[in-house]
Amino acid sequence: MRQSCGNLLKTEQRSQYFDGRDSKSLGGTEMSKMSFRFYKDHEVRAIWDEEKSQWWFSIVDIVAAITESPNPRKYWSVLKTRLKKAGNELTTRCSQLKMTSADGKRYATDCFAQEDIINLVRVIPSPKTADFLDWFIYSDNTIDGQSKKKAL
């Protein structure tokens, strides 16, 4: 059971992250790996969903990387409101997951799965969207693409 953005997760199941810190999981879904990826010196946090075998990505990190907004949280908040008013259902697939922030503390962070990130990036007006999508999707020639091929 996923909680939508704006609703905090209410679950008592726990899992261990790679660094050994205790964390809450998402509705019975074990979140066991955290990844830090870099797009042109911008950190993009991701967390692995064991049950669905997919990565969830921090929306605010992606907004910061694409827009270079001085306040990416506010940018995402305004964009989310506009998408809801326009009847775009993208925001209904948003989940809040606990991620470690720059201050070392863990906060509930709005996240999307990979296909939703692709849709989000397409609605953000920025000249960097095409370049970001090329980086995000990975080709078979990148290191991540090679790893993905070996894992399959």
Side-chain angles (χ1 to χ4, degrees), residues 46-101:
I47 192 164
W48 180 250
D49 180 342
E50 289 288 342
E51 185 179 293
K52 297 196 184 253
S53 297
Q54 69 181 4
W55 287 100
W56 289 81
F57 299 88
S58 166
I59 297 169
V60 172
D61 292 352
I62 290 170
V63 167
I66 294 173
T67 65
E68 295 193 18
S69 167
N71 192 344
R73 289 184 206 285
K74 183 68 174 171
Y75 190 104
W76 166 236
S77 176
V78 170
L79 180 61
K80 183 167 44 170
T81 302
R82 288 180 183 164
L83 290 172
K84 285 180 185 176
K85 284 182 181 177
N88 188 318
E89 295 184 15
L90 182 63
T91 58
T92 62
R93 293 189 297 273
C94 174
S95 294
Q96 286 194 331
L97 304 174
K98 293 246 180 180
M99 290 187 159
T100 305
S101 69

Side-chain angles (χ1 to χ4, degrees), residues 1-11 17 23-29 31 45 47 49 56-60 73 76-77 80 84 91-100 106-113:
M1 175 177 119
R2 289 205 165 71
Q3 301 288 329
S4 64
C5 293
N7 295 326
L8 292 177
L9 298 174
K10 296 175 183 172
T11 180
Y17 279 83
S23 93
K24 297 196 176 192
S25 66
L26 173 64
T29 301
M31 302 293 177
R45 295 169 293 164
I47 192 164
D49 180 342
W56 289 81
F57 299 88
S58 166
I59 297 169
V60 172
R73 289 184 206 285
W76 166 236
S77 176
K80 183 167 44 170
K84 285 180 185 176
T91 58
T92 62
R93 293 189 297 273
C94 174
S95 294
Q96 286 194 331
L97 304 174
K98 293 246 180 180
M99 290 187 159
T100 305
R106 298 174 39 77
Y107 298 100
T109 305
D110 288 352
C111 297
F112 276 143

